Amino acid sequence: MKNSKLKTVAFVFSLTLVLSNTGCEKKAQEEVFATDSEYKGVIGKTLADSKEWWPERAHAREGAPNVLLFLIDDAGYGTASAFGGLMETPTLDSLANNGLRYTNFHSTAVCSPTRAALLTGRNHHSVHMGYLNYSSLGFPGYDAVMPGDKATIAEILHENHYNTYAVGKYHLAPLHEITAAGPFDRWPTGRGFDHFYGWQLGHTDQYHPNLYEDTKVINIEPNTKHVTTLLADKAIEYIANQKSIAPQNPFFLYFATGAIHSPHQVDKKWSDMYKGKFDKGWDWYRAEVFARQKKLGVIPADAVLPERDPTVKAWDSLTVEERKVYARFMEVYAGFMTHADYEFGRIVNYLKQTGQLENTIIITSIGDNGSSHSPRNGYYNAQIKSLEVDKQVPELAKHLDEFGTEHSDMDAPSGWTQATNTPFRLWKQDANSEGGTHQPLIVFYPKGIKDKGGIRNQYGHVIDITPTIIELTGSTIPDVIKGYKQKPIEGTSLAYSINEAAAPSKHTVQYYELRGKRAIYQDGWKASVFHETGTDFKDDVWELYHIEEDFNERINLAAKNPEKLKELQAVFDQEAKKYNVYPLIDNSQVPGSAGRGRSVFGKSDKIVLYPGVEQFMTYSGPQFQSQSFSITAEVDLKNKNEQGVLFSAGDEFDGLSLYIKDGKFQVAHNTGSVVRYLQSDKPLPSGKAKLTFELNYIKPPKIKPTDNRDVYRVDVPGGTESIYINGVKVGERAILASEGKYIANYKDGVDVGQDTNSPVTEHYKSPFKFTGSLEKIIIEYK
């Protein structure tokens, strides 16, 4: 293109010379120098002969509204007070009372798939996110590589001259691309967002989060702020910048909190608000919330509460100690939600203070799935979880003062998470059920909603949000975005229902599938399968519910109406073929929770890391799962005072750290239940040295669990851990199989030359940077 423009200039200049030589100089002086066919100015030989021209700057259509999309994590239908729950959410209450409550809205039942569907307006398998971004498989519906021909709402709004921001949990980039080397095409900034501030995996520590800004790892330590506060601060900063610099354009802000996904951590100010308020227990909670939901009109007046799940004990049957411990879990859980509502309220109040609120669409999905199916006794840390079930509660009781602090890694007991799914059965990841997929939705738009405080019962799904935003903002979808010819949106805009309460549902067919659990909805009927992991799909038993009359799936009609069941099964098959659902896959076919093959290093036998490399998120970096390996630090030691971390993976809840302290080479292996140490029995030499940690793993015997998956005993000998200085063994210990199964398998990250965020061991404080000369880290798998 540049060469063609130069040729155009050269041609016009030559023509001028020819005209001058033939006595037509006057006419030649009137010629202009064309540099671009779109240029509308005049370019002469001098400024006096020329005329400037600037293309008009593109703007959004006049009056286009701002859009704020708020997604809460892991929240069931009965959590927030806005929909009858007992977790106080005054901000959401206000938005709902001045907007609309949608009572028949649905997710996919888990994190990444819901987010992919929400942001693209397409089904999760259709955009290759059949399960989590770190559990990908080599099939079109499951590879986690979201295609460019199905643009995100951020990309679409960006084309319509919106400024776009993503704050909080993203959880959509392919695992092998979440590194400092990219590629960044499928990061938020590559999928239409001007800026991103948040994390890439499913959850993070609330006080020591793993954060990115745009595409860079940022280290905020020492940090004292809750991550939700940091997110709200950043969101307000983005809005302030945008409205100060480009007020003529609207913004799109995607605000996705880590709350109320585990770990449940929040300042005591918030959890103590609920002191004693849940002492009546989860059975009382379910009944109380159910009554409130009827009063609000967000469930049918003739609804019947399903029986308590058989895996959950009656509250009255619990011991005094169990009730005390479980009640405190719930106080933290509720405080976590109320704090998230408060921080979101700061954003809403900022919009009001700056005169933006009246022209802002706020859409809130309370949950990307139902509340989680957590352990019976809840979760505090791996050490207590490793105990026999009947010994856990007495140990938990010793830590009540630490519940919800930065030193806890909490999730509420399943009795409470089931209660917060009221009025439905089952939990998160149960894609066959309303309990896993039925979410409260709030739409607030002062300029567009007449029926403030209204209830809407039309069927909706997360794929409907993108088309709703497109219609309400008056945006258009270009035929081509970033060189990709766009494929059709698969969702249905809900805009038709905003001012027509009685309008019939336009979204009439929707499939659900997650790890073999699946369902099909059509015109008020639903057929579903609760697939047991590890069993043959041909043995699955289908159920049938008339959702229009039995909204919470109490009465299975499969035996009474086999023809309707057969009809719906055929519809599921049709939708599954259309949207990349096949092949059906459950967890029994997936090797490990993330697997070495999915990280950027694949199944390399050798990895070399150099000092200065950015922190890896644990799953995107080197993996240490049920195999033998060694880690060697090549150093050049100048004096005896040099110290610090050579290599670390994980945090105070589980991890591995190689470090030098007190003149000794040391290793801390935090198993989650206890920190085990190795320390060299010889002093370190001066000069160049190779310091090696070696884990020799012995695979334990297989046991057969109830769901037929391959599971191995972990309470048996699992090999040895040894340390070496220049090839000479200077320490060794035996390990259990459980200690080698997963090392730092999720939270925090992998660091070279330091241990950022939360430390693996109490023997040092983060980041404990190595003060000597570290040349490289070599990881070898055996």
Side-chain angles (χ1 to χ4, degrees):
M1 180 62 75
K2 288 182 179 179
N3 288 339
S4 65
K5 290 179 181 178
L6 288 173
K7 289 177 181 177
T8 302
V9 173
F11 170 76
V12 175
F13 185 67
S14 299
L15 176 62
T16 303
L17 290 176
V18 170
L19 291 171
S20 175
N21 292 335
T22 59
C24 301
E25 185 173 358
K26 183 176 180 181
K27 185 177 180 181
Q29 288 175 345
E30 295 174 355
E31 296 290 340
V32 297
F33 292 82
T35 58
D36 192 312
S37 61
E38 296 181 0
Y39 186 71
K40 295 180 176 58
V42 176
I43 300 177
K45 288 184 177 180
T46 68
L47 183 60
D49 299 330
S50 305
K51 182 180 178 181
E52 282 188 278
W53 176 80
W54 294 96
E56 184 179 351
R57 294 183 182 179
H59 299 297
R61 71 172 181 84
E62 187 176 350
N66 305 309
V67 180
L68 173 50
L69 178 57
F70 180 25
L71 181 62
I72 301 174
D73 205 353
D74 272 18
Y77 199 84
T79 51
S81 58
F83 274 71
L86 301 185
M87 298 181 181
E88 295 300 323
T89 52
T91 301
L92 297 183
D93 293 357
S94 176
L95 293 175
N97 292 339
N98 291 281
L100 298 172
R101 289 176 171 87
Y102 279 79
T103 68
N104 199 9
F105 182 72
H106 298 79
S107 67
T108 70
V110 82
C111 307
S112 299
T114 289
R115 290 157 203 273
L118 177 75
L119 292 178
T120 64
R122 283 88 167 187
N123 287 294
H124 58 298
H125 294 89
S126 183
V127 288
H128 300 210
M129 201 66 68
Y131 193 48
L132 304 176
N133 67 332
Y134 51 75
S135 297
S136 56
L137 291 169
F139 301 102
Y142 300 90
D143 62 21
V145 180
M146 291 172 60
D149 58 7
K150 295 173 182 175
T152 68
I153 183 61
E155 289 171 313
I156 294 167
L157 291 179
H158 203 276
E159 292 287 323
N160 285 268
H161 311 297
Y162 274 68
N163 293 114
T164 54
Y165 309 102
V167 177
K169 174 175 169 178
Y170 192 62
H171 207 194
L172 290 176
L175 187 63
H176 63 279
E177 296 182 1
I178 307 176
T179 72
F184 303 110
D185 308 58
R186 280 171 283 274
W187 286 48
T189 52
R191 294 308 309 256
F193 290 102
D194 293 325
H195 289 293
F196 166 58
Y197 181 88
W199 57 96
Q200 292 271 20
L201 297 184
H203 68 259
T204 193
D205 193 279
Q206 312 299 334
Y207 289 101
H208 304 286
N210 302 108
L211 293 176
Y212 289 91
E213 184 145 25
D214 296 336
T215 59
K216 293 285 291 181
V217 173
I218 57 173
N219 184 1
I220 62 169
E221 302 297 341
N223 177 57
T224 57
K225 282 189 175 183
H226 195 281
V227 71
T228 311
T229 303
L230 295 173
L231 299 183
D233 289 347
K234 183 59 68 172
I236 291 170
E237 176 189 313
Y238 284 153
I239 295 170
N241 285 336
Q242 196 269 341
K243 289 304 174 187
S244 298
I245 298 167
Q248 70 279 9
N249 287 337
F251 67 80
F252 169 58
L253 171 63
Y254 172 47
F255 188 74
T257 60
I260 50 178
H261 194 296
S262 63
H264 296 173
Q265 299 167 313
V266 71
D267 292 355
K268 287 191 175 183
K269 168 188 173 182
W270 299 97
S271 55
D272 286 353
M273 287 173 54
Y274 291 97
K275 278 279 191 182
K277 292 190 177 180
F278 301 115
D279 289 354
K280 295 179 183 179
W282 46 60
D283 294 322
W284 162 81
Y285 184 101
R286 293 180 73 226
E288 178 70 16
V289 169
F290 195 67
R292 292 185 180 212
Q293 289 171 336
K294 284 190 175 183
K295 187 175 181 180
L296 269 176
V298 295
I299 63 173
D302 60 352
V304 176
L305 183 65
E307 294 295 320
R308 181 191 335 104
D309 193 90
T311 63
V312 175
K313 290 184 177 181
W315 184 264
D316 289 344
S317 71
L318 303 176
T319 66
V320 172
E321 188 174 50
E322 284 175 326
R323 295 181 195 179
K324 182 178 180 180
V325 168
Y326 296 161
R328 186 55 182 164
F329 267 110
M330 186 58 180
E331 290 165 8
V332 173
Y333 193 12
F336 193 19
M337 172 66 110
T338 301
H339 174 254
D341 177 87
Y342 169 80
E343 295 296 347
F344 181 61
R346 289 175 53 217
I347 302 172
V348 175
N349 288 335
Y350 184 77
L351 293 173
K352 186 176 182 179
Q353 292 164 12
T354 55
Q356 299 295 321
L357 188 61
E358 287 299 305
N359 195 34
T360 298
I361 300 166
I362 302 178
I363 299 176
T364 302
S365 178
I366 304 177
D368 55 348
N369 44 247
S371 298
S372 65
H373 195 175
S374 47
R376 191 183 91 184
N377 290 325
Y379 188 89
Y380 175 77
N381 64 21
Q383 185 271 324
I384 293 176
K385 186 184 177 184
S386 69
L387 301 175
E388 294 177 15
V389 173
D390 60 354
K391 294 180 181 179
Q392 292 177 6
V393 170
E395 192 63 27
L396 286 165
K398 299 175 185 177
H399 296 274
L400 287 179
D401 288 342
E402 298 168 21
F403 273 30
T405 69
E406 64 180 304
H407 301 297
S408 64
D409 187 17
M410 293 179 58
D411 200 357
S414 57
W416 285 121
T417 57
Q418 188 209 17
T420 56
N421 277 333
T422 300
F424 302 113
R425 301 182 298 111
L426 301 177
W427 288 269
K428 168 184 176 178
Q429 299 202 43
D430 295 328
N432 58 295
S433 74
E434 296 296 299
T437 63
H438 203 127
Q439 316 297 152
L441 180 74
I442 299 170
V443 177
F444 171 88
Y445 184 22
K447 284 191 174 181
I449 294 175
K450 300 173 184 176
D451 181 22
K452 292 178 171 52
I455 301 291
R456 296 293 181 269
N457 299 315
Q458 288 84 0
Y459 181 89
H461 187 270
V462 283
I463 61 174
D464 299 337
I465 297 302
T466 282
T468 301
I469 292 172
I470 292 169
E471 183 171 352
L472 292 180
T473 58
S475 298
T476 58
I477 305 175
D479 291 335
V480 177
I481 296 178
K482 296 181 180 176
Y484 293 97
K485 184 172 176 55
Q486 292 300 297
K487 292 186 176 178
I489 294 287
E490 294 162 9
T492 303
S493 170
L494 291 168
Y496 72 92
S497 64
I498 285 180
N499 290 312
E500 294 291 339
S505 296
K506 290 187 176 182
H507 190 149
T508 58
V509 177
Q510 181 60 49
Y511 83 88
Y512 299 83
E513 194 283 332
L514 198 69
R515 297 204 294 186
K517 294 178 181 178
R518 55 203 189 275
I520 184 70
Y521 167 87
Q522 184 180 49
D523 295 324
W525 286 85
K526 182 178 177 183
S528 60
V529 171
F530 184 93
H531 174 76
E532 294 282 357
T533 300
T535 62
D536 197 314
F537 287 106
K538 67 179 176 59
D539 296 328
D540 286 342
V541 177
W542 285 76
E543 298 173 353
L544 177 68
Y545 298 97
H546 194 185
I547 293 292
E548 193 169 318
E549 297 178 359
D550 176 26
F551 85 111
N552 54 358
E553 303 171 306
R554 293 178 51 253
I555 305 168
N556 180 8
L557 300 174
K560 290 185 177 180
N561 200 338
E563 290 304 313
K564 173 59 74 171
L565 177 60
K566 186 176 180 181
E567 173 191 329
L568 290 177
Q569 286 173 316
V571 176
F572 177 85
D573 186 58
Q574 173 184 309
E575 297 293 289
K577 290 174 180 175
K578 182 177 180 181
Y579 293 118
N580 296 333
V581 176
Y582 292 135
L584 295 176
I585 301 166
D586 68 22
N587 200 43
S588 64
Q589 296 103 345
V590 180
S593 57
R596 274 180 59 204
R598 299 181 183 89
S599 83
V600 68
F601 300 108
K603 295 185 178 180
S604 302
D605 293 329
K606 183 177 181 179
I607 298 170
V608 180
L609 304 175
Y610 296 94
V613 65
E614 278 190 0
Q615 182 188 58
F616 293 92
M617 297 301 97
T618 307
Y619 275 176
S620 62
Q623 303 283 296
F624 308 107
Q625 298 184 15
S626 302
Q627 66 185 124
S628 299
F629 65 91
S630 66
I631 303 173
T632 298
E634 294 190 6
V635 297
D636 190 355
L637 303 173
K638 307 294 185 183
N639 61 66
K640 295 180 180 180
N641 296 322
E642 291 170 336
Q643 62 177 359
V645 172
L646 305 168
F647 175 88
S648 68
D651 57 18
E652 70 171 287
F653 301 109
D654 67 341
L656 181 70
S657 179
L658 283 63
Y659 59 100
I660 294 174
K661 188 179 181 186
D662 301 326
K664 298 288 183 72
F665 174 38
Q666 303 183 47
V667 172
H669 182 171
N670 188 333
T671 68
S673 56
V674 66
V675 183
R676 304 290 189 190
Y677 294 95
L678 282 171
Q679 179 175 292
S680 59
D681 56 14
K682 295 179 181 180
L684 289 166
S686 296
K688 291 185 179 293
K690 293 183 179 181
L691 310 179
T692 300
F693 166 80
E694 183 178 78
L695 188 149
N696 287 301
Y697 183 70
I698 299 174
K699 195 172 187 177
K702 186 186 296 186
I703 57 176
K704 186 176 182 180
T706 55
D707 61 8
N708 295 325
R709 286 178 294 173
D710 286 344
V711 176
Y712 301 88
R713 292 189 62 179
V714 294
D715 58 346
V716 295
T720 59
E721 290 181 343
S722 308
I723 54 175
Y724 299 81
I725 299 177
N726 291 328
V728 178
K729 187 182 293 186
V730 293
E732 185 175 82
R733 75 177 187 90
I735 65 170
L736 293 174
S738 59
E739 297 176 61
K741 184 179 180 184
Y742 295 112
I743 298 176
N745 72 315
Y746 199 92
K747 283 202 309 171
D748 213 298
V750 175
D751 292 297
V752 173
Q754 60 183 337
D755 183 359
T756 56
N757 304 100
S758 171
V760 171
T761 171
E762 294 180 347
H763 284 191
Y764 57 76
K765 292 184 178 180
S766 290
F768 198 42
K769 291 184 178 181
F770 184 54
T771 58
S773 175
L774 173 61
E775 296 180 358
K776 67 179 94 168
I777 294 290
I778 302 172
I779 300 168
E780 295 180 280
Y781 297 97
K782 302 178 181 180

